[in-house]
């Protein structure tokens, strides 16, 4: 599949998500084929409510659903980041697509590894780890784990 088609698909999903993203985001109204009405701002529910024919769009929504089942949230951010990453990939590759498909896969794998290393890990360390500490405490404020064990548990994040 061409990168341009992937970008167009991701941007279509992004256009749906951007309307309900952030604190000023709006709710979306769906009328299902059964006649039921769904009003939500939940990105995962919105994406799962779409009737998608394009195989890449269905795959993207399946990936978002898998992410949400593990993380509990982040569907809108996932789609926005995916669309941005695909746009950057298109800009990087440009007209000079590598002749060998393996080179494209290797390039994309390196780009994803760089995204994890340079963007996601610092964000998790800076913003998620401090907030996870409170999850390891009882309501009385006493820690569930000794400080060293809690630090080791959070070090993976």
């Amino acid at each position: 599949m061409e990168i341009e088609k992937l970008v167009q698909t991701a941007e279509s999903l992004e256009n749906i998500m951007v309307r309900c993203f952030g604190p000023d985001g709006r709710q979306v109204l769906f009328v299902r084929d059964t006649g039921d009405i769904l009003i939500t701002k939940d990105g995962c529910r919105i994406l799962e409510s779409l009737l998608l024919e394009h195989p890449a769009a269905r795959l993207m929504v399946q990936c978002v659903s898998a992410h949400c089942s593990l993380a509990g949230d982040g569907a809108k951010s996932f789609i926005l980041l995916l669309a941005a990453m695909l746009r950057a990939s298109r800009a990087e590759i440009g007209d000079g697509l590598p002749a060998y498909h393996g080179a494209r896969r290797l390039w994309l794998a390196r780009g994803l590894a760089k995204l994890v290393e340079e963007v996601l890990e610092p964000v998790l360390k800076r913003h998620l780890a401090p907030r996870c500490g409170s999850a390891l405490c009882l309501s009385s404020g006493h820690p569930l784990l000794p400080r060293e064990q809690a630090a080791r548990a959070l070090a993976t994040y």
Side-chain angles (χ1 to χ4, degrees), residues 99-115:
Y100 180 61
H101 290 289
R104 277 190 263 181
R105 284 193 288 268
L106 181 61
W107 177 84
L108 185 56
R110 286 182 180 156
L112 290 172
K114 189 174 180 180
L115 173 72

Side-chain angles (χ1 to χ4, degrees), residues 50-63:
L50 296 173
L51 299 174
L52 301 169
E53 292 183 18
H54 197 284
R58 286 196 309 261
L59 181 62
M60 290 176 191
V61 171
Q62 287 173 357
C63 290

